[in-house]
Amino acid sequence: RVGRMGEHRVLAAVCAALACLAAGAARPVAAEEQRNPREERARPGEDTSGRVQRGEASYYHPKLEGRPMANGEPFDAQSNSAASRTLPLGTTARVTNTDTGRSATVEVEDRGPYARDRVLDVSPRVAEELGMKRDGTARVEIAPVEVPQRDGGTRPGAGAAGGGGPDERRPR
């Protein structure tokens, strides 16, 4: 038979265990909400090589302002945001309009473009910097500067000084 003091100790231990379980269950949700999108790891199928890509780019319509992007942040038409189907979220890249030679630095924060013949969507501000707003599209070269890797580290890409060789991985 457990005495009165023993009952209180058992009750206190059960309450402490339940509190620990509740705190443990709440912690992942809080950590997920505070996750930094730049810490996003590359997923299978994404191009983590850092190689230069070439193709046609277009830009986001300003009406998309405030809509959530793939990284969870609201789209800002005055940002340096870009959307790529193949580069990992968090990739920083130098984009050059091959017709004008004008360049801008972007951060891949969204997925797209959804038009099959396009390789990149950029914000209206970046489109202005690249000189492509009037035509709506432009031939571009995308040179990744820093590319998130599957192991959580980053790797310099072709757009970084030094070129992004396989020995140049950086831990996070």
Side-chain angles (χ1 to χ4, degrees):
R1 173 166 198 247
V2 178
R4 198 155 235 341
M5 284 299 284
E7 287 177 4
H8 288 313
R9 285 186 186 147
V10 170
L11 183 59
V14 169
C15 287
L18 288 174
C20 287
L21 285 173
R27 184 170 291 132
V29 172
E32 187 174 324
E33 289 172 8
Q34 294 175 1
R35 158 179 78 79
N36 180 347
R38 289 197 51 89
E39 294 175 0
E40 189 84 25
R41 289 185 179 177
R43 290 184 168 42
E46 294 177 339
D47 183 358
T48 61
S49 69
R51 290 184 296 240
V52 170
Q53 297 180 13
R54 290 175 184 82
E56 193 84 9
S58 53
Y59 70 95
Y60 286 92
H61 194 282
K63 286 184 180 178
L64 296 174
E65 178 89 29
R67 292 205 181 159
M69 295 183 291
N71 68 357
E73 297 295 317
F75 173 65
D76 176 3
Q78 295 304 309
S79 70
N80 68 335
S81 298
S84 170
R85 285 189 297 271
T86 59
L87 292 171
L89 295 179
T91 297
T92 302
R94 187 179 67 246
V95 179
T96 303
N97 179 332
T98 57
D99 294 333
T100 65
R102 294 168 70 176
S103 293
T105 300
V106 299
E107 184 168 338
V108 176
E109 299 184 283
D110 204 5
R111 290 290 167 230
Y114 295 104
R116 284 185 185 254
D117 60 337
R118 308 274 165 73
V119 295
L120 195 71
D121 274 341
V122 297
S123 70
R125 188 193 97 204
V126 171
E128 189 71 46
E129 289 177 34
L130 295 174
M132 61 182 270
K133 270 192 98 170
R134 186 176 59 88
D135 293 335
T137 62
R139 297 275 311 152
V140 295
E141 178 179 279
I142 306 159
V145 175
E146 187 174 68
V147 184
Q149 299 295 298
R150 288 179 187 90
D151 64 6
T154 61
R155 174 181 178 169
D167 297 331
E168 295 188 61
R169 293 184 136 201
R170 296 180 198 161
R172 280 221 172 229

